[in-house]
């Protein structure tokens, strides 16, 4: 019996960002991640891309990053607006850490059809 057959091809499987190997997040889990990004003082930013461009280096940014945003509801509303405008695209949320000049968090909120 092959060990590969029982485990699957995890080494070459394309995944979407930080939580790509986990089951889809619930609405509350997404809100918890948004709250965490805000609590860390990171800048939320929303990006989207058609599934055919998922592995491209750059995704298209939705509006500008939300500098100084403290309201979870505002970020959630913008995620929904992006998803409504681009229903076939993947939509992800990134938390930019201005201290380390890097991404503190990044995950796909909505997976596109395609």
């Amino acid at each position: 019996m092959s060990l590969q057959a029982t485990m699957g091809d995890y080494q070459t499987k394309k995944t979407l960002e930080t939580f790509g190997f986990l089951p889809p997040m619930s609405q509350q889990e997404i809100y918890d991640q948004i709250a965490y990004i805000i609590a860390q003082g990171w800048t939320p930013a929303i990006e989207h891309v058609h599934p055919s461009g998922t592995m491209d280096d750059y995704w298209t940014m939705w509006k500008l990053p939300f500098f100084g945003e403290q309201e979870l509801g505002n970020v959630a509303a913008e995620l929904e607006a992006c998803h409504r405008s681009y229903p076939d695209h993947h939509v992800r949320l990134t938390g930019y850490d201005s201290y380390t000049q890097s991404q503190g968090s990044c995950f796909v909120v909505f997976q596109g059809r395609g």
Side-chain angles (χ1 to χ4, degrees):
M1 180 171 100
S2 169
L3 184 59
Q4 185 74 14
T6 59
M7 292 181 62
D9 187 11
Y10 69 93
Q11 292 175 328
T12 59
K13 179 182 176 185
K14 290 183 181 179
T15 59
L16 296 172
E17 308 300 337
T18 306
F19 303 113
F21 287 101
L22 300 175
M25 285 194 272
S26 69
Q27 182 110 20
Q28 184 58 49
E29 290 170 326
I30 291 168
Y31 287 167
D32 289 345
Q33 291 300 317
I34 297 169
Y36 179 78
I37 288 170
I38 291 171
Q40 298 304 306
W42 297 340
T43 300
I46 299 170
E47 300 170 315
H48 62 93
V49 72
H50 188 272
S52 64
T54 301
M55 299 317 240
D56 291 346
D57 292 328
Y58 298 103
W59 290 26
T60 302
M61 188 163 284
W62 172 258
K63 299 187 178 181
L64 293 173
F66 304 103
F67 297 105
E69 183 60 63
Q70 295 295 312
E71 294 296 324
L72 182 148
N74 293 342
V75 177
E78 290 296 334
L79 283 164
E80 292 284 342
C82 182
H83 180 60
R84 279 192 310 275
S85 294
Y86 299 96
D88 294 338
H89 286 199
H90 296 314
V91 177
R92 73 180 173 191
L93 177 65
T94 303
Y96 289 104
D97 184 344
S98 61
Y99 181 76
T100 62
Q101 300 284 310
S102 65
Q103 294 180 358
S105 177
C106 186
F107 65 98
V108 173
V109 178
F110 298 105
Q111 290 192 26
R113 303 178 293 246

